[in-house]
Amino acid sequence: MKLTYQHISDVFRHYLSDASNESDAQDEIGKLLHDCIATNTKLWKLEDVARMHHLGYESVAKTKMEIDIVNHKRNETINILDSFLDKHLCNVQLESSSKFYSESPGMLIDRLAILFIKQNFIRQLIDKMDDKLLRIEFAEKEQLLNQNITDLGLFLDQYFDRIRNGETFFKIYKPLKIYNDQRIMRYIKSMTID
């Protein structure tokens, strides 16, 4: 398996353009990439709702709880992606710490997913705008975003090759959850009330 930015980009673009948003991926990495963009899209939409204060505090609070659940899924997806890539890129921890890259491929793919969602959102927004100056301003933002996506995509391809060639390595960060442990909630409450 040789994962490339183009493969990632294809999965993300397909998801964002297909109204059904169902994965047609035949391989495990395609399914994982689909999960990454789907989870981030859901999170994006929930964040939009959480900013709609006119819906009332109860709605915002409920949405924030949903965001916590989806964010947990997002972190799990990054971890599963990293575990998959650890094996398939033959990631080997090297002796020299100078060859260590602190952001894992899953973290970068996750960031790329968010950039694709933002790009898609800006395109939809521009299509709705009737203010010419506002359209120009957002077209410039879209160009900057396109460049960010291109830069990150180029970096990802180089990063994958460097891992495969044993020139760099990454670590998989295991989540260390604190807030899901009901045994410590009273301590957390006492710290936040002070």
Side-chain angles (χ1 to χ4, degrees):
M1 180 222 56
K2 183 167 182 181
L3 180 63
T4 63
Y5 162 69
Q6 188 61 53
H7 185 152
I8 297 165
S9 171
D10 290 347
V11 171
F12 289 175
R13 288 186 201 288
H14 178 265
Y15 177 85
L16 293 168
S17 68
D18 183 5
S20 71
N21 291 333
E22 290 185 26
S23 174
D24 60 357
Q26 303 298 315
D27 57 351
E28 186 177 354
I29 190 63
K31 291 174 186 168
L32 289 171
L33 293 170
H34 178 271
D35 286 350
C36 178
I37 190 79
T39 302
N40 275 296
T41 300
K42 185 170 186 176
L43 196 55
W44 179 277
K45 290 175 181 177
L46 287 169
E47 291 285 357
D48 277 349
V49 173
R51 286 188 274 282
M52 296 180 186
H53 299 284
H54 64 278
L55 297 176
Y57 293 119
E58 192 173 305
S59 173
V60 172
K62 181 180 178 228
T63 303
K64 288 289 190 180
M65 287 189 279
E66 288 180 59
I67 287 170
D68 287 346
I69 293 166
V70 177
N71 227 349
H72 181 74
K73 166 91 169 108
R74 176 184 175 209
N75 289 326
E76 283 179 353
T77 302
I78 292 169
N79 197 274
I80 293 167
L81 256 170
D82 281 335
S83 295
F84 178 87
L85 293 171
D86 181 55
K87 183 171 61 173
H88 286 84
L89 293 174
C90 302
N91 180 48
V92 176
Q93 289 192 17
L94 304 169
E95 302 252 339
S96 171
S97 62
S98 67
K99 297 185 184 248
F100 170 63
Y101 193 75
S102 65
E103 278 197 281
S104 69
M107 292 173 179
L108 294 171
I109 291 169
D110 179 73
R111 184 184 319 156
L112 191 60
I114 295 165
L115 292 175
F116 269 87
I117 294 164
K118 189 180 285 187
Q119 177 191 56
N120 188 60
F121 181 77
I122 286 178
R123 283 185 183 151
Q124 290 176 25
L125 200 56
I126 290 171
D127 288 344
K128 293 185 181 302
M129 291 177 182
D130 54 9
D131 182 320
K132 186 178 177 183
L133 291 176
L134 197 57
R135 285 177 66 100
I136 291 170
E137 179 184 332
F138 273 79
E140 290 171 1
K141 290 180 185 203
E142 182 183 16
Q143 288 297 331
L144 181 60
L145 192 55
N146 293 344
Q147 186 60 55
N148 291 344
I149 289 171
T150 299
D151 292 346
L152 186 54
L154 179 64
F155 175 79
L156 263 174
D157 280 342
Q158 293 171 353
Y159 186 32
F160 292 152
D161 286 343
R162 291 184 69 217
I163 293 167
R164 281 186 206 98
N165 295 335
E167 297 167 10
T168 194
F169 70 98
F170 66 94
K171 292 182 181 180
I172 298 174
Y173 295 97
K174 299 294 181 193
L176 302 171
K177 298 293 180 187
I178 297 172
Y179 292 96
N180 295 343
D181 188 340
Q182 293 302 313
R183 298 170 301 165
I184 64 163
M185 286 312 293
R186 66 185 173 119
Y187 302 111
I188 293 172
K189 287 177 187 173
S190 72
M191 292 167 63
T192 57
I193 293 173
D194 291 343

